[in-house]
Short mmCIF file of all heavy atoms in Angstrom, two decimals:
data_model
loop_
_atom_site.label_atom_id
_atom_site.label_comp_id
_atom_site.label_asym_id
_atom_site.label_seq_id
_atom_site.Cartn_x
_atom_site.Cartn_y
_atom_site.Cartn_z
N TYR A 1 -28.04 49.48 11.23
CA TYR A 1 -27.45 49.33 9.90
C TYR A 1 -28.00 48.06 9.27
O TYR A 1 -28.44 47.16 9.94
CB TYR A 1 -25.93 49.34 9.95
CG TYR A 1 -25.28 48.32 10.82
CD1 TYR A 1 -24.74 47.14 10.27
CD2 TYR A 1 -25.13 48.53 12.20
CE1 TYR A 1 -24.13 46.19 11.07
CE2 TYR A 1 -24.52 47.57 13.00
CZ TYR A 1 -23.99 46.40 12.45
OH TYR A 1 -23.38 45.49 13.23
N TYR A 2 -27.92 48.06 7.92
CA TYR A 2 -28.59 47.02 7.13
C TYR A 2 -27.72 46.52 6.00
O TYR A 2 -26.84 47.19 5.51
CB TYR A 2 -29.86 47.57 6.49
CG TYR A 2 -30.85 48.11 7.49
CD1 TYR A 2 -30.80 49.41 7.96
CD2 TYR A 2 -31.92 47.30 7.91
CE1 TYR A 2 -31.71 49.90 8.87
CE2 TYR A 2 -32.85 47.79 8.83
CZ TYR A 2 -32.75 49.10 9.31
OH TYR A 2 -33.66 49.56 10.20
N ALA A 3 -28.04 45.32 5.57
CA ALA A 3 -27.42 44.81 4.35
C ALA A 3 -28.01 45.59 3.15
O ALA A 3 -29.16 45.99 3.18
CB ALA A 3 -27.73 43.30 4.16
N ASP A 4 -27.20 45.79 2.11
CA ASP A 4 -27.65 46.54 0.96
C ASP A 4 -28.92 45.91 0.34
O ASP A 4 -29.76 46.65 -0.21
CB ASP A 4 -26.57 46.62 -0.11
CG ASP A 4 -25.42 47.54 0.33
OD1 ASP A 4 -25.63 48.38 1.23
OD2 ASP A 4 -24.33 47.43 -0.23
N SER A 5 -29.00 44.62 0.40
CA SER A 5 -30.13 43.92 -0.23
C SER A 5 -31.48 44.20 0.39
O SER A 5 -32.53 44.00 -0.22
CB SER A 5 -29.86 42.41 -0.26
OG SER A 5 -29.72 41.93 1.08
N VAL A 6 -31.49 44.68 1.66
CA VAL A 6 -32.75 44.93 2.36
C VAL A 6 -32.93 46.40 2.74
O VAL A 6 -34.03 46.78 3.18
CB VAL A 6 -32.87 44.05 3.59
CG1 VAL A 6 -32.70 42.60 3.28
CG2 VAL A 6 -31.90 44.52 4.67
N LYS A 7 -31.94 47.21 2.53
CA LYS A 7 -32.04 48.62 2.90
C LYS A 7 -33.19 49.28 2.17
O LYS A 7 -33.29 49.15 0.92
CB LYS A 7 -30.70 49.33 2.61
CG LYS A 7 -30.66 50.75 3.14
CD LYS A 7 -29.24 51.33 2.99
CE LYS A 7 -28.21 50.56 3.74
NZ LYS A 7 -26.85 51.19 3.61
N GLY A 8 -33.97 50.04 2.90
CA GLY A 8 -35.15 50.70 2.30
C GLY A 8 -36.39 49.90 2.35
O GLY A 8 -37.52 50.44 2.16
N ARG A 9 -36.28 48.57 2.60
CA ARG A 9 -37.44 47.72 2.67
C ARG A 9 -37.64 47.18 4.10
O ARG A 9 -38.82 46.95 4.51
CB ARG A 9 -37.30 46.53 1.70
CG ARG A 9 -37.18 46.94 0.27
CD ARG A 9 -37.24 45.73 -0.66
NE ARG A 9 -36.10 44.83 -0.43
CZ ARG A 9 -36.22 43.56 -0.06
NH1 ARG A 9 -37.43 43.00 0.11
NH2 ARG A 9 -35.13 42.81 0.13
N PHE A 10 -36.56 46.91 4.84
CA PHE A 10 -36.66 46.34 6.17
C PHE A 10 -36.31 47.39 7.17
O PHE A 10 -35.47 48.25 6.94
CB PHE A 10 -35.65 45.17 6.31
CG PHE A 10 -36.03 43.92 5.51
CD1 PHE A 10 -37.00 43.92 4.55
CD2 PHE A 10 -35.31 42.76 5.76
CE1 PHE A 10 -37.30 42.78 3.83
CE2 PHE A 10 -35.58 41.61 5.01
CZ PHE A 10 -36.57 41.61 4.07
N THR A 11 -36.95 47.27 8.36
CA THR A 11 -36.65 48.16 9.48
C THR A 11 -36.48 47.36 10.75
O THR A 11 -37.39 46.62 11.15
CB THR A 11 -37.77 49.19 9.63
OG1 THR A 11 -37.95 49.96 8.48
CG2 THR A 11 -37.42 50.18 10.79
N ILE A 12 -35.34 47.53 11.43
CA ILE A 12 -35.07 46.85 12.69
C ILE A 12 -35.43 47.81 13.81
O ILE A 12 -35.17 49.00 13.75
CB ILE A 12 -33.62 46.34 12.76
CG1 ILE A 12 -33.43 45.49 13.98
CG2 ILE A 12 -32.65 47.55 12.76
CD1 ILE A 12 -32.04 44.81 14.00
N SER A 13 -35.98 47.29 14.91
CA SER A 13 -36.33 48.08 16.05
C SER A 13 -36.28 47.17 17.30
O SER A 13 -36.17 45.99 17.18
CB SER A 13 -37.69 48.76 15.89
OG SER A 13 -38.75 47.76 15.77
N ARG A 14 -36.47 47.79 18.45
CA ARG A 14 -36.49 47.01 19.70
C ARG A 14 -37.30 47.72 20.77
O ARG A 14 -37.46 48.95 20.74
CB ARG A 14 -35.05 46.77 20.18
CG ARG A 14 -34.30 48.00 20.65
CD ARG A 14 -32.82 47.71 20.83
NE ARG A 14 -32.59 46.74 21.86
CZ ARG A 14 -31.42 46.02 22.03
NH1 ARG A 14 -30.43 46.24 21.20
NH2 ARG A 14 -31.36 45.18 23.04
N ASP A 15 -37.82 46.94 21.65
CA ASP A 15 -38.54 47.45 22.84
C ASP A 15 -37.92 46.77 24.02
O ASP A 15 -38.22 45.62 24.38
CB ASP A 15 -40.02 47.09 22.72
CG ASP A 15 -40.84 47.70 23.83
OD1 ASP A 15 -40.28 48.09 24.86
OD2 ASP A 15 -42.10 47.84 23.65
N ASN A 16 -37.00 47.47 24.67
CA ASN A 16 -36.27 46.88 25.77
C ASN A 16 -37.16 46.58 26.99
O ASN A 16 -36.83 45.67 27.76
CB ASN A 16 -35.13 47.84 26.23
CG ASN A 16 -34.02 47.88 25.19
OD1 ASN A 16 -33.89 47.03 24.34
ND2 ASN A 16 -33.18 48.93 25.27
N ALA A 17 -38.23 47.31 27.19
CA ALA A 17 -39.14 47.02 28.27
C ALA A 17 -39.80 45.64 28.08
O ALA A 17 -40.22 45.03 29.08
CB ALA A 17 -40.22 48.12 28.36
N LYS A 18 -39.91 45.19 26.84
CA LYS A 18 -40.51 43.89 26.53
C LYS A 18 -39.48 42.85 26.22
O LYS A 18 -39.84 41.68 25.86
CB LYS A 18 -41.51 44.03 25.40
CG LYS A 18 -42.68 44.95 25.69
CD LYS A 18 -43.63 45.00 24.48
CE LYS A 18 -44.84 45.89 24.79
NZ LYS A 18 -45.75 45.93 23.64
N ASN A 19 -38.21 43.18 26.26
CA ASN A 19 -37.11 42.27 25.92
C ASN A 19 -37.34 41.66 24.52
O ASN A 19 -37.17 40.45 24.31
CB ASN A 19 -36.98 41.16 26.95
CG ASN A 19 -36.39 41.63 28.25
OD1 ASN A 19 -35.81 42.69 28.31
ND2 ASN A 19 -36.53 40.83 29.31
N THR A 20 -37.72 42.51 23.59
CA THR A 20 -38.10 42.03 22.27
C THR A 20 -37.49 42.93 21.16
O THR A 20 -37.46 44.16 21.32
CB THR A 20 -39.63 42.02 22.11
OG1 THR A 20 -40.19 41.17 23.12
CG2 THR A 20 -40.01 41.44 20.75
N MET A 21 -37.01 42.26 20.12
CA MET A 21 -36.51 42.96 18.91
C MET A 21 -37.42 42.58 17.77
O MET A 21 -37.99 41.51 17.74
CB MET A 21 -35.10 42.53 18.63
CG MET A 21 -34.49 43.14 17.40
SD MET A 21 -32.76 42.60 17.11
CE MET A 21 -32.97 40.83 16.85
N TYR A 22 -37.54 43.53 16.78
CA TYR A 22 -38.45 43.32 15.69
C TYR A 22 -37.74 43.55 14.36
O TYR A 22 -36.69 44.22 14.29
CB TYR A 22 -39.59 44.31 15.75
CG TYR A 22 -40.37 44.25 17.04
CD1 TYR A 22 -40.08 45.17 18.09
CD2 TYR A 22 -41.35 43.28 17.27
CE1 TYR A 22 -40.80 45.11 19.27
CE2 TYR A 22 -42.04 43.24 18.46
CZ TYR A 22 -41.77 44.14 19.47
OH TYR A 22 -42.45 44.09 20.64
N LEU A 23 -38.24 42.95 13.32
CA LEU A 23 -37.80 43.20 11.96
C LEU A 23 -39.05 43.37 11.11
O LEU A 23 -39.74 42.40 10.81
CB LEU A 23 -36.94 42.09 11.43
CG LEU A 23 -36.34 42.29 10.05
CD1 LEU A 23 -35.31 43.41 10.09
CD2 LEU A 23 -35.70 41.03 9.51
N GLN A 24 -39.34 44.59 10.74
CA GLN A 24 -40.45 44.88 9.81
C GLN A 24 -39.98 44.72 8.40
O GLN A 24 -39.05 45.39 8.00
CB GLN A 24 -40.99 46.29 10.07
CG GLN A 24 -42.08 46.68 9.15
CD GLN A 24 -43.39 45.85 9.38
OE1 GLN A 24 -43.78 45.70 10.52
NE2 GLN A 24 -43.98 45.40 8.31
N MET A 25 -40.59 43.83 7.64
CA MET A 25 -40.17 43.52 6.31
C MET A 25 -41.27 43.88 5.35
O MET A 25 -42.37 43.33 5.39
CB MET A 25 -39.85 42.05 6.15
CG MET A 25 -38.79 41.54 7.14
SD MET A 25 -38.32 39.81 6.86
CE MET A 25 -39.91 38.98 7.23
N ASN A 26 -41.01 44.88 4.51
CA ASN A 26 -41.92 45.37 3.50
C ASN A 26 -41.45 45.03 2.13
O ASN A 26 -40.26 44.80 1.91
CB ASN A 26 -42.18 46.88 3.62
CG ASN A 26 -42.79 47.25 4.96
OD1 ASN A 26 -43.50 46.54 5.58
ND2 ASN A 26 -42.38 48.46 5.41
N SER A 27 -42.35 45.07 1.15
CA SER A 27 -42.02 44.83 -0.24
C SER A 27 -41.20 43.52 -0.39
O SER A 27 -40.15 43.52 -1.07
CB SER A 27 -41.27 45.99 -0.85
OG SER A 27 -42.04 47.17 -0.76
N LEU A 28 -41.65 42.48 0.21
CA LEU A 28 -40.92 41.22 0.21
C LEU A 28 -40.79 40.64 -1.21
O LEU A 28 -41.67 40.79 -2.03
CB LEU A 28 -41.60 40.20 1.11
CG LEU A 28 -41.39 40.39 2.64
CD1 LEU A 28 -42.38 39.61 3.45
CD2 LEU A 28 -39.94 39.99 2.96
N GLU A 29 -39.64 40.04 -1.46
CA GLU A 29 -39.33 39.43 -2.73
C GLU A 29 -39.02 37.96 -2.55
O GLU A 29 -38.65 37.53 -1.46
CB GLU A 29 -38.12 40.14 -3.32
CG GLU A 29 -38.25 41.66 -3.45
CD GLU A 29 -36.96 42.31 -3.77
OE1 GLU A 29 -35.88 41.66 -3.74
OE2 GLU A 29 -36.97 43.52 -4.07
#
């Protein structure tokens, strides 16, 4: 789930095998 201000632009994901979480940020303002 996302804040309204970033919904549609940001994508959160994770790779548990790598113990890593990501935040892909597109159309930055």
